[in-house]
Amino acid sequence: MVAGGTLWKTHTSRFSLALVAITLPTSIVISGVFAAWLFWPTFSVTTFVISMVVSGFIVGLIALLSLIVQVDAPGSTFLKLPLQHIECFEHGASLRDASGELLGDLSAGTLRVVRTNMMHGRGLVGAVALEHAGGTTWVVPYQLLGAWSGMRAVAHSQQAHRIEDPLFNALLKLAE
């Protein structure tokens, strides 16, 4: 095997649960301390609720940003589920789903590796499309490539997955 890698997708319910698990206890502690400190020796429920909303918003934003950075880091599997596995060989490639079932094999003719341009933001970037019986999987390297000249951009409705450079280069060698 020349190169291989796994495509991941974010597990949204775990991501949301992690966000709530970080934000809620921290906000309750901050609000309780703030309300107790402000109205000592009594306790103001109104101040607690107001500070809970304000601190929840601020802590929630900070927690959201930190989770996004952890999840989107190259090579991170934090709060992610495996989606597909790509293996590149000297003269072929194979694509398997998370359970290991074969989706396509280049040598058997059930997988097509195509070099293409795709829209990213307001511009075009170079990508590789893996066309198999179950649909098309789009992959781009972490460091985006410029668009290939003379090639039209293909409209896509799925998310492009970021992969390591050695795997992307191996796929480019096999691409039509």
Side-chain angles (χ1 to χ4, degrees):
M1 181 169 64
V2 175
T6 303
L7 304 180
W8 300 88
K9 67 177 181 177
T10 303
H11 193 290
T12 53
S13 60
R14 285 186 185 169
F15 185 89
S16 301
L17 186 62
L19 182 62
V20 170
I22 293 169
T23 304
L24 195 59
T26 307
S27 298
I28 289 172
V29 169
I30 290 171
S31 300
V33 168
F34 182 73
W37 172 71
L38 207 56
F39 290 101
W40 188 257
T42 62
F43 187 81
S44 172
V45 174
T46 306
T47 304
F48 175 77
V49 170
I50 292 171
S51 63
M52 178 76 173
V53 170
V54 172
S55 66
F57 180 74
I58 293 169
V59 170
L61 283 178
I62 293 169
L64 179 64
L65 289 174
S66 67
L67 282 175
I68 288 173
V69 167
Q70 288 177 348
V71 167
D72 283 346
S76 170
T77 59
F78 183 65
L79 300 175
K80 291 184 181 178
L81 295 172
L83 182 64
Q84 295 172 343
H85 186 71
I86 304 170
E87 293 177 340
C88 284
F89 306 101
E90 287 293 326
H91 302 289
S94 66
L95 182 66
R96 298 183 180 276
D97 66 4
S99 65
E101 186 176 328
L102 186 65
L103 294 174
D105 192 344
L106 193 61
S107 60
T110 57
L111 178 67
R112 188 169 164 231
V113 182
V114 181
R115 183 184 307 222
T116 184
N117 291 329
M118 61 178 270
M119 292 296 295
H120 182 75
R122 292 185 178 203
L124 294 175
V125 296
V128 170
L130 303 169
E131 297 174 354
H132 52 90
T136 303
T137 302
W138 301 83
V139 292
V140 294
Y142 282 107
Q143 182 67 39
L144 296 175
L145 298 176
W148 286 293
S149 61
M151 214 179 266
R152 291 182 40 195
V154 178
H156 66 92
S157 58
Q158 297 176 340
Q159 174 187 359
H161 299 277
R162 293 187 182 246
I163 58 174
E164 300 292 333
D165 288 341
L167 178 57
F168 189 79
N169 292 336
L171 287 171
L172 277 180
K173 289 178 184 173
L174 298 171
E176 298 175 2

